[in-house]
Amino acid sequence: MSDKLLPLSHCLIGNRPVDAPVAYHAGRYYSSGQFADAVKSWAGKLQAQPFLNYALYTEDAYPFAVLLFALLHAGKQIWMPGNNRPGTAEQLEKDCQLLGDWHIGEPFDYCLDVADSPTQSLSPLNPFDSQLVIFTSGSTGQAKPITKCLHQFQLEIDTLEKNWGEQLGDAAALATVSHQHIYGLLFRVLWPLSAGRCFHSQTYINPEALVSAVQQGPVYWIASPAHLKRLDQASPWDGIAGLKAVFSSGGALPGNAAERILNESGQAVIEVYGSSETGGIAWRRQDEAWTLFYGMALSHIDGNWLLHSPYLQAEQGFQLDDQITLHDDGRFMLHGRSDRIVKVEEKRLSLAELEQRLMAEPWIEDAHALVINKSRDVVAAVVVLSQQGLEQLAIHGRNRLIRQLRRTLEQWFEPVVLPRKWLFVNTMPLTTQGKIEHHLLKILLDFDGRKLPQTLNFNMTHEGVRLELKVPEDLLYFPDHFASYPILPGVVQLAWVEHFGKLFFVIDKPFSQMEVVKFTQVIQPGDQLTLTLDWNPTTGKLYFNFSSERGAHSSGRMVYEGKGR
């Protein structure tokens, strides 16, 4: 262990000056002595309570640290959920007491300012007591509890300090990630406490707020790819350039984002790869390959990658869910997860759990969730409605039905991971191998709204496909086509027919000609259309019909490879 580090088991009874700043919270600094007094006060209260298990959730990091160490010193078992949604609270209350910010609109009294210093003393903690239970999304859809002890965190802190302690010096920790997840817990709370660095209690929403919050002295930034890849020309590059370091975890940072940050600020982002189960595994800086932390090793057995880590008890190795290519020099490449756990805005989400929650509703017969990767990743939901759901859709409309489904999901998930894109289908599209056709779904959901309509739902039958489409109001084609009375040009309608035709049918022949094309009614911005398509591979003809509540708009057939009637 570094000479500068104080073991987490002794961080409240060590030899640090009582006036040394521990955290900056609610506009003021809290010292080491104030931190110890608050922990002693809470530990006494908690010891007097008969309960063993406590679910701890706070919005700010300093109150979290106080309650965390009070629970540890009181000998309690601490459950750390990733959110404080009502559904999460309802499940946890079956097994434990809720402590912290659980009731929206009802501020929790943290009792951070103790009038009289408690007389009781604190004994060293047993670092091998398994008192921390972290919940993370499991691939089966159920939240998975992971038990940790302080010794595991201390080993990881030792590694981090050896790698970057000298670079950080006395810098304060500022973060745009939550301490309720293992990355934030370790980097913004436990590591600073062990190393004697101050940490900011508030979670900063964006880099502008973080840079403007710097009070005095050096600081470093604990970020995630979700925050870093949104940096642009208007970002506070001068402030970012002055940081001691920028850390990122929770997913791989795109290479172009890392390059932009380096070019604009001179900061080479330090990326850390790991998971709640494993802790940190490897790191990289401006490189595609990852370097294992000291003491780590990888082995490949029976098609599975196993991690051998001093942080874990698994003697045979811990099986990773990632796809890996190992280089001769010991570094490796990552190629994504083999399960269905994703990161959205650094929040870990089980797509399987999201689907299960949706299918628990009587309106939904089947559901599939996926992520659309953009500058800000979004979750999409593809839903097959039950007969009851179809009736609700007919009575209340699409937007109201989606709002009701989102309200249901809000009981279990944080807003940032709720589906923002929805597609209603009569059956899940499948490949010839019987797997869900992701390519088709992603194209329909990730459309260019300047050139293509939004797909609201589609019905597939043996005869063809019927799509419900909404015409965007800001299409590129409207301004130049009768500015005072914008209409959709016929040639664009035909382009849409071919676009969707080739998505749903195997049309591998060159276009030849049009037949019996009729344009009977104009299409305008905001119109909701039904496009019916029928492909006859024998004749090479694609039949189409655009209609709406107002009646027919256009119809005809497109002929491929010049086959006649």
Side-chain angles (χ1 to χ4, degrees):
M1 182 183 297
S2 167
D3 293 338
K4 185 176 181 180
L5 292 179
L6 194 63
L8 293 172
S9 57
H10 289 65
C11 71
L12 286 161
I13 56 175
N15 55 3
R16 295 246 160 84
V18 294
D19 59 350
V22 167
Y24 182 77
H25 171 71
R28 55 172 284 197
Y29 285 97
Y30 282 82
S31 68
S32 176
Q34 290 170 315
F35 178 49
D37 286 346
V39 170
K40 290 176 185 177
S41 177
W42 269 106
K45 296 176 187 177
L46 292 165
Q47 280 176 335
Q49 295 183 6
F51 313 109
L52 175 63
N53 299 330
Y54 288 79
L56 176 60
Y57 183 94
T58 70
E59 294 292 340
D60 294 326
Y62 178 62
F64 173 88
V66 169
L67 295 175
L68 172 70
F69 277 88
L71 287 165
L72 290 171
H73 279 280
K76 305 297 184 179
Q77 187 91 350
I78 306 156
W79 295 24
M80 273 186 52
N83 63 63
N84 63 344
R85 309 310 299 168
T88 303
E90 183 181 350
Q91 278 195 333
L92 289 171
E93 279 185 305
K94 299 173 184 176
D95 300 294
C96 60
Q97 298 297 302
L98 304 182
L99 183 63
D101 299 321
W102 285 98
H103 303 291
I104 298 173
E106 299 179 23
F108 183 79
D109 186 2
Y110 299 117
C111 303
L112 299 179
D113 298 301
V114 179
D116 298 316
S117 181
T119 56
Q120 74 266 31
S121 60
L122 297 174
S123 300
L125 295 167
N126 183 346
F128 296 96
D129 279 348
S130 299
Q131 290 181 254
L132 275 168
V133 181
I134 297 173
F135 287 87
T136 186
S137 298
S139 58
T140 62
Q142 296 297 319
K144 182 170 58 175
I146 302 164
T147 304
K148 298 279 186 178
C149 65
L150 289 183
H151 176 69
Q152 291 171 289
F153 287 117
Q154 192 65 59
L155 289 175
E156 193 159 356
I157 288 168
D158 294 347
T159 299
L160 297 177
E161 187 69 17
K162 287 175 183 176
N163 276 272
W164 299 294
E166 186 175 345
Q167 177 180 339
L168 297 182
D170 295 324
L174 280 69
T176 47
V177 300
S178 171
H179 54 273
Q180 292 288 150
H181 299 272
I182 192 167
Y183 167 50
L185 168 67
L186 183 66
F187 274 70
R188 68 177 293 198
V189 177
L190 299 184
W191 185 11
L193 283 174
S194 180
R197 299 187 181 96
C198 179
F199 64 88
H200 280 224
S201 181
Q202 177 184 345
T203 302
Y204 295 100
I205 298 174
N206 53 51
E208 290 78 12
L210 182 140
V211 168
S212 66
V214 175
Q215 303 295 310
Q216 56 186 357
V219 301
Y220 63 99
W221 182 12
I222 303 151
S224 74
H227 300 110
L228 297 175
K229 70 182 183 180
R230 290 203 295 269
L231 295 174
D232 55 24
Q233 293 300 319
S235 297
W237 292 114
D238 289 343
I240 295 172
L243 300 174
K244 280 289 186 178
V246 177
F247 291 96
S248 176
S249 190
L253 180 66
N256 58 350
E259 185 177 356
R260 183 189 311 120
I261 295 167
L262 181 64
N263 292 338
E264 296 290 346
S265 69
Q267 289 282 0
V269 178
I270 302 168
E271 294 183 73
V272 176
Y273 159 60
S275 69
S276 299
E277 297 90 341
T278 64
I281 296 172
W283 65 277
R284 69 178 183 179
R285 181 187 286 160
Q286 300 300 128
D287 196 350
E288 292 186 356
W290 296 85
T291 299
L292 288 165
F293 283 122
Y294 178 79
M296 303 284 173
L298 292 172
S299 62
H300 194 241
I301 301 174
D302 296 331
N304 298 312
W305 283 102
L306 302 178
L307 172 70
H308 306 273
S309 166
Y311 310 158
L312 304 175
Q313 300 296 322
E315 296 182 4
Q316 304 302 318
F318 180 89
Q319 183 173 325
L320 298 175
D321 292 317
D322 297 286
Q323 302 177 64
I324 291 173
T325 299
L326 186 62
H327 296 328
D328 292 339
D329 62 1
R331 299 190 305 158
F332 62 93
M333 303 285 288
L334 286 174
H335 307 292
R337 292 181 67 97
S338 55
D339 59 16
R340 301 193 64 228
I341 304 296
V342 297
K343 289 288 183 71
V344 180
E345 303 290 305
E346 95 265 347
K347 303 294 185 182
R348 191 173 182 181
L349 169 68
S350 166
L351 296 176
E353 181 187 3
L354 184 63
E355 292 163 359
Q356 289 172 13
R357 297 295 182 192
L358 283 170
M359 287 187 286
E361 292 299 302
W363 301 335
I364 294 178
E365 187 175 291
D366 196 5
H368 181 71
L370 64 159
V371 174
I372 304 300
N373 302 113
K374 305 175 77 70
S375 58
R376 181 182 294 226
D377 294 344
V378 297
V379 178
V382 183
V383 171
V384 178
L385 295 175
S386 64
Q387 184 57 43
Q388 187 177 345
L390 291 171
E391 292 170 0
Q392 290 291 319
L393 180 64
I395 296 171
H396 299 297
R398 186 175 190 272
N399 290 340
R400 183 172 173 182
L401 179 59
I402 290 173
R403 286 197 297 270
Q404 290 173 321
L405 291 172
R406 283 177 60 90
R407 279 197 293 269
T408 297
L409 293 175
E410 283 173 354
Q411 299 297 309
W412 305 100
F413 303 98
E414 295 178 86
V416 72
V417 301
L418 294 180
R420 295 177 181 269
K421 292 178 177 286
W422 294 80
L423 182 62
F424 294 142
V425 301
N426 70 321
T427 184
M428 287 292 171
L430 302 177
T431 65
T432 54
Q433 290 79 33
K435 297 182 178 180
I436 291 178
E437 180 55 89
H438 283 98
H439 177 70
L440 169 65
L441 296 178
K442 286 204 170 187
I443 290 178
L444 292 174
L445 289 161
D446 188 20
F447 68 101
D448 182 351
R450 300 282 288 165
K451 296 180 180 180
L452 292 167
Q454 178 187 2
T455 304
L456 304 178
N457 55 22
F458 68 78
N459 280 26
M460 294 190 300
T461 65
H462 293 298
E463 291 75 30
V465 61
R466 187 178 77 251
L467 300 103
E468 301 296 329
L469 308 172
K470 184 175 182 181
V471 181
E473 298 189 1
D474 57 351
L475 279 175
L476 290 172
Y477 315 110
F478 284 137
D480 297 331
H481 212 76
F482 308 115
S484 60
Y485 186 72
I487 64 174
L488 188 68
V491 67
V492 176
Q493 297 177 44
L494 298 177
W496 288 2
V497 169
E498 183 163 60
H499 169 76
F500 288 109
K502 290 187 174 181
L503 272 182
F504 284 93
F505 310 114
V506 180
I507 303 177
D508 53 4
K509 303 171 183 176
F511 171 75
S512 174
Q513 60 184 320
M514 303 296 304
E515 290 184 347
V516 295
V517 176
K518 297 178 182 178
F519 297 100
T520 55
Q521 188 175 186
V522 298
I523 297 173
Q524 293 190 281
D527 279 352
Q528 190 163 318
L529 305 171
T530 297
L531 171 59
T532 303
L533 296 172
D534 181 18
W535 167 245
N536 187 327
T538 303
T539 62
K541 294 182 180 181
L542 177 64
Y543 297 77
F544 72 91
N545 182 288
F546 279 106
S547 62
S548 70
E549 292 181 347
R550 304 200 307 272
H553 290 272
S554 61
S555 62
R557 51 183 179 257
M558 303 179 75
V559 184
Y560 291 83
E561 206 173 60
K563 294 191 177 181
R565 297 176 187 272

